[in-house]
Amino acid sequence: MANLPPVKIGVLGLGTVGSGTLNVLRRNAGEITRRAGRSIEVVAASARDLSRPRPVDTSGIRLTTDPYTLVEDPDIDIVVELIGGVEPARDLVLRAIRHGKHVVTANKQLIALHGNEVFAAAREAGVSVAFEAAVAGGIPVIKTLREALAGNTIQWLAGIINGTCNYILTAMAERAASFDEVLAEAQALGYAEADPAFDIDGVDAAHKLTILAAIAFGIPLDFDRVLCEGIRGLELDDIRYAEQLGYRIKHLAFAVNGTRGIELRVHPTLVPERLMLANVNDVMNAVLICGDAVGPMLLSGAGAGAEPTASSVVGDLVDVVRGLSVEADNRVPSLAFQPDALSEAPMCPAGEIESAYYLRLRAVDQPGVLAEITRILGSLRISIEAIRQPEPAAGAATVPIIILTHTVREAAMDEAIRQIEERPEIEGRITRYRVETFE
Ligand code: HSE
């Protein structure tokens, strides 16, 4: 091993992931140096509040509350951005790049919304921007798609890519815990975003899907193309009814390169309980990828948390250090495809998306109501797979009705729901979730 000087790192942000990264770098310093060919030394770190107690040894590291001093520090080779959010992270990353520094980031929002700008700036400056930790925590899904599967045409991928949603759904199913109670647990464990609405409304998963789709299909990053639905308002009743039909409810992200164009969507989904994806629980994430050559393959692991996410950050650091001696144009392209080879593939129109559905409605318990509902579905060529009328609560004026449909076009389902909700025997709005059997 040549006797090269240490590579000097500045870390922006000493929260959950920042502390985890410092701990992993320190604990595994010997192995990391043997892999990278040089030692990796954190020389400076910034945090908003330096007096806050942290589970990390910061001795020998220059600490500051001003992240701007790090991105312009000539002594620093690589900036690790772990602040999150768009600003000031975007400004700091762009400044670091303009000052000739390589960047490692865990910031999915930044990459999903401003990645095109960040990568263009990095190309101009001849530096690398690595972001494995931005998607699925410790699972090396970006590296897998970008490098290991480079010989495939990626047909689709589907995954559980928000640990907080998975944690909440698992606790609701297993402990009948309330939504708010388990969200507070996920926050205390450091899984949730600073604004947990990003988790529960599907935005965080949509950021991650934007990144995965770009790398899988060679399309520019475009967050606005993702259909985004979260788990807010999901009821314990739906989890129970789904279980009775042999399904679990998971928050899934789908990227599909189909004959009608590209579909990008995140939403709660009923998955048959026998499938591996249905049994990925708590904060674990999993991504099922289907390449034309490799077929379907599943990656699974911790999707959030200090050290799993640090694992990806440090893996990126080693990659960047290994690439320091490589000409910028010869490094692995950030988005897997050469920057001038990204294509604007057409999107599948929303109404053309096909899926099976779970419907839950409440109706007056009188003759002819079910017949009317099935007539409406039949008139729109929606085929029913199962229909149930669970026992109503004592004294309830209406009864719940659960329907599973076969695959249907989204536009037909929208029209069916509109017509059924107009019926005077139907109470309130219809709850609907998509069903995916992966068959
Ligand atoms: N809030 C995110 C999650 C953290 O729950 O998955 C990891 O990106």
Side-chain angles (χ1 to χ4, degrees), residues 108 133-134 136-137 161-165 191-193 199 204 208 285 303-304:
K108 49 263 164 136
I161 53 176
N162 182 269
T164 302
C165 281
Y191 302 155
E193 296 304 299
D199 296 298
D204 176 77
K208 293 166 178 168
N285 281 193

